[in-house]
Amino acid sequence: MIEKNMPFFIGENLEEVQITIDGDSYNSRHFNISIPNYCNFEKQPSYFKSVSVSSIEKLRDKNNSLKEHFAVTFQCQSCRKYIAIDYYSNFLETKINNYDFSFVSSHFPFEEDEERILENISPKFEKIYRQASKIESLGYDEFVKMSYRKALETLVKDTLINVLEEDEDKTINDSLGQNLSKMKDLEKDNHHLFTNSAQLASWIGNDGAHTKEKNPSLNVKNMKNAIYDFGSSIIRYKHDKDAKDYIEKNTKNKRDQK
């Protein structure tokens, strides 16, 4: 049975062929393998011809079971393009190694040291942002704004709870709009968070959930820039807060020593 996300195989009754690979000490090994039958380049069934076979590599899986791995290169006889399929054998049967053939990349705009700070504040923010980025890369434009909005809401709530030390239950149960209003009230105490950027991003995200947009001049790029500005302000605030805490602590210690 073919598993999901195996783009060069379709259907249940796959054609099998026997291949021979030279093993250790010149002992040949014989394997029955399923051959591809669908060309994902042309999006249609096709016939594939085996071109070359790798050597056998013996590896142990997570259960410490010994398996034999090898790869076979095939050529589509229609478009003439080449693919390589990885197989493994447990000495009883040979199966296809299920790779993730999704090559859609994700993007996270913050540097590595900034990522660590944001991860400590909002553990799920990067994961959700990257998933939104993948949705954007796949061209699902009707869902992009809503996805980035969820990343924004996660960061806003976690910042209120973990940085500004607001009540967790109330923060989680409040809407994003209520969260931002609370954050703006705290802004009066000179927290210097870019709440206006977060507000702008939330407007764009809300538009993505409705048929008629209230702010048609604002797009996904504006939203990502606003989220980046807001995230950057959190990082700067966290740096400044840590510096303030250090200064106050050491100033108190010096006073105590006098």
Side-chain angles (χ1 to χ4, degrees):
M1 180 177 179
I2 292 301
E3 300 178 49
K4 294 180 180 179
N5 303 320
M6 301 185 73
F8 298 102
F9 299 86
I10 189 170
E12 300 296 327
N13 299 316
L14 299 173
E15 180 183 351
E16 287 193 353
V17 297
Q18 186 179 84
I19 62 170
T20 302
I21 305 177
D22 291 335
D24 298 334
S25 303
Y26 302 99
N27 292 323
S28 296
R29 297 278 289 113
H30 304 286
F31 301 93
N32 292 322
I33 63 169
S34 299
I35 64 174
N37 63 354
Y38 185 83
C39 179
N40 210 43
F41 300 110
E42 299 180 296
K43 306 298 181 185
Q44 65 180 15
S46 187
Y47 173 71
F48 285 81
K49 180 181 179 181
S50 62
V51 177
S52 63
V53 181
S54 73
S55 59
I56 299 171
E57 183 179 17
K58 293 182 178 180
L59 299 172
R60 293 190 180 275
D61 62 17
K62 60 182 180 181
N63 297 318
N64 203 35
S65 298
L66 186 64
K67 292 183 178 179
E68 294 180 316
H69 279 256
F70 59 90
V72 181
T73 304
F74 295 93
Q75 184 185 37
C76 173
Q77 297 303 288
S78 175
C79 70
R80 315 302 291 180
K81 292 181 179 177
Y82 294 87
I83 62 171
I85 303 296
D86 185 13
Y87 296 88
Y88 69 91
S89 171
N90 59 4
F91 302 97
L92 295 175
E93 59 179 338
T94 303
K95 294 185 177 181
I96 304 160
N97 202 5
N98 187 6
Y99 282 175
D100 180 3
F101 284 95
S102 173
F103 297 108
V104 178
S105 61
S106 65
H107 175 67
F108 193 62
F110 298 93
E111 299 294 333
E112 186 175 344
D113 59 331
E114 296 174 329
E115 287 181 19
R116 288 195 292 268
I117 294 171
L118 290 175
E119 184 179 8
N120 287 332
I121 295 171
S122 183
K124 289 186 177 181
F125 170 61
E126 180 178 353
K127 176 183 177 182
I128 299 170
Y129 190 100
R130 286 190 180 278
Q131 288 183 2
S133 177
K134 282 191 175 184
I135 289 172
E136 182 183 7
S137 298
L138 288 167
Y140 298 145
D141 54 298
E142 295 294 336
F143 300 93
V144 174
K145 293 178 180 178
M146 290 184 288
S147 302
Y148 280 118
R149 184 194 180 282
K150 181 173 181 179
L152 171 70
E153 182 172 352
T154 302
L155 182 59
V156 168
K157 289 181 182 294
D158 285 341
T159 300
L160 281 167
I161 296 167
N162 298 325
V163 178
L164 303 179
E165 299 177 350
E166 290 299 304
D167 181 75
E168 182 173 358
D169 289 337
K170 186 177 188 310
T171 299
I172 291 173
N173 291 320
D174 281 351
S175 67
L176 176 58
Q178 290 172 317
N179 292 153
L180 290 172
S181 294
K182 180 63 178 179
M183 196 171 277
K184 284 185 177 181
D185 289 340
L186 296 171
E187 184 77 349
K188 297 173 184 177
D189 297 328
N190 298 318
H191 285 299
H192 303 299
L193 297 175
F194 286 9
T195 52
N196 290 321
S197 295
Q199 182 73 62
L200 187 70
S202 74
W203 282 7
I204 301 171
N206 290 340
D207 275 353
H210 297 94
T211 304
K212 182 176 175 58
E213 297 188 353
K214 294 182 179 179
N215 308 280
S217 63
L218 299 176
N219 55 34
V220 174
K221 184 177 180 180
N222 299 133
M223 186 177 190
K224 291 192 294 183
N225 287 340
I227 293 174
Y228 175 76
D229 290 340
F230 175 62
S232 297
S233 74
I234 295 171
I235 293 167
R236 288 195 293 273
Y237 170 71
K238 186 68 168 61
H239 281 314
D240 191 64
K241 183 175 183 296
D242 290 344
K244 180 183 177 182
D245 291 344
Y246 181 86
I247 291 170
E248 289 179 349
K249 178 182 177 181
N250 282 271
T251 301
K252 181 179 183 301
N253 289 339
K254 288 179 180 179
R255 288 195 188 120
D256 292 341
Q257 291 173 3
K258 290 182 178 179

